[in-house]
Amino acid sequence: RQLTPDAVTYRNITASLVQGGVFDRAIACFREAEALGLGGQRRTSERGRLFDFHDLPRDVAKALASIAVLDVAVEAPLSDRPSSEELIFIVGQGHGSDEHGVVVGPALWWFLENEFEPPLAVRQDPNNPGRLRVSLESINNWATTSQGALLREPE
């Protein structure tokens, strides 16, 4: 009898790959789970630029954020889009969090500003503190200056 991985298996593998710094494989694992219908519907309205991170562990959220950034980076050049456009990450306000409080939002904010070179421009949504907004202009800048590197090189 053959065993088939489920959503929990894929999440654990993705998280382990992120923790190990193997982002290309983490992204591939997450995309495979999505293709099998095991990732849930994460991309929502607003032309596919609204991503829901509710119930994702911190490291799996980093993989999804990387996928969102990469997908935008390969779209039409920024000159074909309004410079005010943004990715929106729904990270929640911590109401469903355990005793450690809000985890995903601060972790993603740090990740996007510190692990991408050049850093991505992130801000909290002024009307909804459970959402992060990532400037498409900063993603375009990253894509055109990073020379294909997903993240900063380890020091």
Side-chain angles (χ1 to χ4, degrees), residues 5 12 15 18 23-24 31 41 43 47 63 68 76 79 83 87 89 91 95 101 107 124 129 132 135 143 150 154:
N12 288 335
V18 168
F23 273 86
D24 57 341
R31 287 194 191 270
Q41 181 58 31
R43 187 183 301 248
R47 294 179 299 162
S79 59
S83 62
L87 280 178
F89 293 160
V91 295
H95 299 302
Q124 190 172 40
L132 298 178
S135 156
L150 176 57

Side-chain angles (χ1 to χ4, degrees), residues 3-140:
L3 297 176
T4 305
D6 61 5
V8 173
T9 304
Y10 275 101
R11 281 187 183 189
N12 288 335
I13 292 169
T14 300
S16 295
L17 291 167
V18 168
Q19 290 166 10
V22 192
F23 273 86
D24 57 341
R25 291 188 182 160
I27 288 168
C29 184
F30 191 95
R31 287 194 191 270
E32 183 176 320
E34 280 186 316
L36 293 171
L38 299 174
Q41 181 58 31
R42 297 287 168 198
R43 187 183 301 248
T44 59
S45 63
E46 299 188 33
R47 294 179 299 162
R49 294 213 174 93
L50 181 68
F51 291 81
D52 188 349
F53 289 80
H54 280 102
D55 84 349
L56 286 182
R58 178 191 66 225
D59 292 319
V60 177
K62 289 178 183 179
L64 177 57
S66 299
I67 288 168
V69 168
L70 288 168
D71 286 352
V72 166
V74 298
E75 286 179 7
L78 185 64
S79 59
D80 296 343
R81 304 185 287 236
S83 62
S84 61
E85 282 192 61
E86 299 171 302
L87 280 178
I88 302 170
F89 293 160
I90 303 169
V91 295
Q93 299 179 43
H95 299 302
S97 298
D98 61 16
E99 68 276 359
H100 297 96
V102 180
V103 175
V104 173
L108 277 182
W109 194 321
W110 188 93
F111 174 72
L112 296 166
E113 285 189 336
N114 292 282
E115 293 295 327
F116 285 79
E117 181 60 47
L120 301 181
V122 183
R123 68 184 182 94
Q124 190 172 40
D125 187 314
N127 300 313
N128 185 336
R131 291 182 178 203
L132 298 178
R133 292 179 167 271
V134 183
S135 156
L136 294 192
E137 186 173 15
S138 72
I139 293 172
N140 188 64

